[in-house]
Amino acid sequence: MFTGIIEALGTITQVRTEGTNRHFTVASPFFSELQIDQSVAHDGVCLTVVALDAAAGTHTVTAIDETLQKTNLGSWAEGRQVNLERCLAANGRFDGHIVQGHVDLTAVCESVEDQNGSWLYRFRHETGPGRVTVEKGSICVNGVSLTCFNSTDDGFSVAIIPYTHEHTTFQHLQAGDRVNLEFDIVGKYVAKLLGR
């Protein structure tokens, strides 16, 4: 389980395809603290560490075809920065919201507006069961726990403060880019119970 509070930016140093799987090697500031079999969220996608390279300061994760189809990982290339978060420690603070690292679908960034001190982003997604946002509710965008507003059946807005802009991949996000979305787990259960 994660909280959507990004710990660091990682950089993809190698992408390798093997059958229908894709292996991503990532350089990060906390590679030395990782272990094989550990779960790490990469832009909101929970992936298992399968290899470590101490000399290069990297870890490697594998994405299967299902993950490549339902997320934006299929477009990842060497040099791309990704948001990283290690799983929540049992004695850690719960600063964001409950994030599973199970991406529901991708959305398109419709617009980015510089508001002279913050940034306003608008996202559009396909409608469907469990794809519910509520005004001032939680949403996870590329692994970042955020509060949404201007919520509609197929979209929402978020406001980004300077700290988040500087320390996450939001600094690179442009209109037309595809992002990973994980809707609030509580909202998904309620939507299912209500037949939405």
Side-chain angles (χ1 to χ4, degrees):
M1 187 175 72
F2 307 92
T3 67
I5 304 300
I6 302 305
E7 291 185 81
L9 287 173
T11 301
I12 297 173
T13 61
Q14 184 182 43
V15 179
R16 185 171 56 86
T17 300
E18 182 180 28
T20 59
N21 296 337
R22 199 161 298 168
H23 307 286
F24 299 98
T25 299
V26 183
S28 77
F30 55 63
F31 80 94
S32 62
E33 300 173 47
L34 298 178
Q35 299 175 7
I36 302 293
D37 262 356
Q38 189 170 15
S39 295
V40 178
H42 298 69
D43 269 9
V45 183
C46 179
L47 297 169
T48 302
V49 176
V50 297
L52 294 167
D53 185 337
T58 62
H59 68 275
T60 300
V61 293
T62 301
I64 61 172
D65 187 58
E66 169 79 2
T67 303
L68 296 171
Q69 296 301 320
K70 290 200 172 172
T71 69
N72 66 7
L73 272 69
S75 66
W76 285 9
E78 292 178 11
R80 180 190 178 104
Q81 285 193 306
V82 294
N83 296 320
L84 298 177
E85 181 190 357
R86 289 172 289 178
C87 54
L88 178 65
N91 64 348
R93 292 188 183 277
F94 207 101
D95 292 323
H97 73 280
I98 297 171
V99 176
Q100 295 181 296
H102 303 160
V103 170
D104 292 299
L105 77 164
T106 59
V108 173
C109 179
E110 285 197 321
S111 61
V112 181
E113 183 182 335
D114 187 337
Q115 297 196 311
N116 193 27
S118 65
W119 290 263
L120 180 67
Y121 293 79
R122 179 73 188 169
F123 297 98
R124 182 82 52 199
H125 60 81
E126 293 179 4
T127 59
R131 298 171 183 176
V132 178
T133 58
V134 296
E135 204 71 11
K136 302 297 186 268
S138 296
I139 187 74
C140 191
V141 178
N142 275 354
V144 183
S145 173
L146 297 166
T147 301
C148 56
F149 57 96
N150 294 335
S151 177
T152 63
D153 288 344
D154 65 350
F156 60 91
S157 298
V158 295
I160 303 297
I161 64 172
Y163 183 89
T164 304
H165 190 267
E166 181 183 348
H167 291 90
T168 70
T169 58
F170 270 94
Q171 62 187 284
H172 306 301
L173 194 59
Q174 299 177 356
D177 287 350
R178 193 161 288 279
V179 298
N180 297 320
L181 289 188
E182 181 182 332
F183 294 94
D184 181 48
I185 185 64
V186 176
K188 287 192 282 189
Y189 275 113
V190 171
K192 180 162 184 158
L193 290 171
L194 295 176
R196 289 190 61 202

